[in-house]
Amino acid sequence: MTEIGAFEAKTHFSRLLDRARRGEAFTITHRGVAVAKLVPIRDERGAAGAREALGRLRDRASDHLGAPISMDEIFEWKSTGRR
């Protein structure tokens, strides 16, 4: 992992983001002491993981409410209050 000083990180932040997007990771230091990491986000779950999470949510809601819950109801709950 590449070390980079805080001042340089601030000065070249957009370049660092581009490099992180391509998979590179950085340790950011302040006065020689490591204080933060800039690492790429890896979407390991994708759509299959989202479907799995919605299934777990449906199962838990059914257990709690005592009746099967439809995906439409879950999406409706998700959007409640977002108008």
Side-chain angles (χ1 to χ4, degrees), residues 8-56:
E8 187 178 351
K10 178 187 74 153
T11 303
H12 302 290
F13 191 65
S14 60
R15 290 183 197 167
L16 292 177
L17 289 178
D18 288 337
R19 290 171 64 183
R21 187 176 293 122
R22 292 191 302 265
E24 198 171 342
F26 303 90
T27 298
I28 300 173
T29 62
H30 184 256
R31 297 185 178 170
V33 178
V35 294
K37 290 183 181 179
L38 176 62
V39 296
I41 294 176
R42 305 214 191 278
D43 183 11
E44 298 171 3
R45 300 196 61 134
R51 280 191 295 276
E52 181 183 312
L54 283 171
R56 286 193 313 269

Side-chain angles (χ1 to χ4, degrees), residues 25 48 73 79:
E73 288 176 293
S79 63

